Amino acid sequence: MRIEKANPSQLKEIFRIFIECKLSMELAHIFQWTDNYPTIHHISGDIGNGYLHSLNHNGKSLGVINISDIEEPEYNKIPWSDKEGKSLVIHRLAVHPNNQKQGLARMLMDFAENYAKENGYTSVKLDAYSGNERVLRFYENRGYEKRGEVNFTGRTLPFHCYELTLNV
């Protein structure tokens, strides 16, 4: 398995991962994603900007993660611990439902955190839907600390904002 920047030829395959994840979450009564987010336009932009990384096995994408230094405007109201350093931001972590519970999300997060350390970032930030208990536990078990909550249009529940301070 390899993690590398996603390329435009993978767009449809990667977007299918998001569609399948959305459907799977909805069956579990988790309404994290909507028909307006994420869209194929979001994913195309992620790929075009070089932010989306794909975990590939035998020529197939099994999961993806968006890593950049772009923070949501809503993050401005959060009392982050790392106020002076450089933060890596994680968005849109997704593993195809057929490949979940195999450690692939952990591999993608390890990749992002190592990337942050290797490139001089002092913290990693992300937000996670408060209605998705499994993902909240996942981040908390990795040492992420909740710093606050934000609300996004179209979602009834808030998103918890998490931060991992890095020792660089």
Side-chain angles (χ1 to χ4, degrees):
M1 287 191 216
R2 293 178 42 144
I3 299 174
E4 53 200 0
K5 284 190 179 182
N7 64 65
S9 68
Q10 294 177 287
L11 177 61
K12 288 183 181 177
E13 175 186 18
I14 288 171
F15 188 60
R16 190 83 211 151
I17 292 171
F18 286 94
I19 291 169
E20 295 297 329
C21 285
K22 178 181 179 285
L23 294 172
S24 177
M25 285 188 291
E26 287 174 353
L27 287 173
H29 302 286
I30 299 169
F31 302 99
Q32 177 174 326
W33 289 336
T34 68
D35 291 339
N36 298 317
Y37 180 88
T39 65
I40 199 161
H41 177 74
H42 290 110
I43 307 311
S44 177
D46 290 349
I47 293 171
N49 289 319
Y51 301 151
L52 199 68
H53 292 74
S54 176
L55 189 154
N56 301 313
H57 182 66
N58 293 333
K60 183 178 178 185
S61 179
L62 306 180
V64 294
I65 190 168
N66 173 314
I67 56 175
S68 73
D69 56 4
I70 298 173
E71 296 185 26
E72 297 295 331
E74 291 84 355
Y75 284 14
N76 291 333
K77 70 176 191 173
I78 302 300
W80 301 106
S81 173
D82 183 10
K83 294 173 179 35
E84 303 298 322
K86 184 171 125 178
S87 298
L88 184 74
V89 182
I90 294 175
H91 295 288
R92 295 186 276 284
L93 170 64
V95 173
H96 193 285
N98 292 345
N99 303 104
Q100 292 179 3
K101 299 182 181 179
Q102 298 174 20
L104 303 184
R106 186 173 52 251
M107 288 174 65
L108 287 162
M109 288 298 294
D110 288 347
F111 172 82
E113 291 165 7
N114 287 332
Y115 177 91
K117 291 174 187 172
E118 292 168 3
N119 288 281
Y121 290 90
T122 53
S123 65
V124 179
K125 297 176 181 175
L126 57 86
D127 59 72
Y129 190 58
S130 62
N132 190 337
E133 289 293 328
R134 184 172 145 210
V135 78
L136 298 178
R137 280 192 311 276
F138 173 73
Y139 292 127
E140 290 167 3
N141 288 339
R142 294 187 68 83
Y144 283 78
E145 296 182 32
K146 182 182 171 192
R147 301 292 183 206
E149 293 182 348
V150 295
N151 291 292
F152 293 113
T153 305
R155 296 352 179 288
T156 55
L157 298 176
F159 284 70
H160 294 183
C161 292
Y162 286 98
E163 180 180 31
L164 178 70
T165 303
L166 302 173
N167 297 321
V168 290

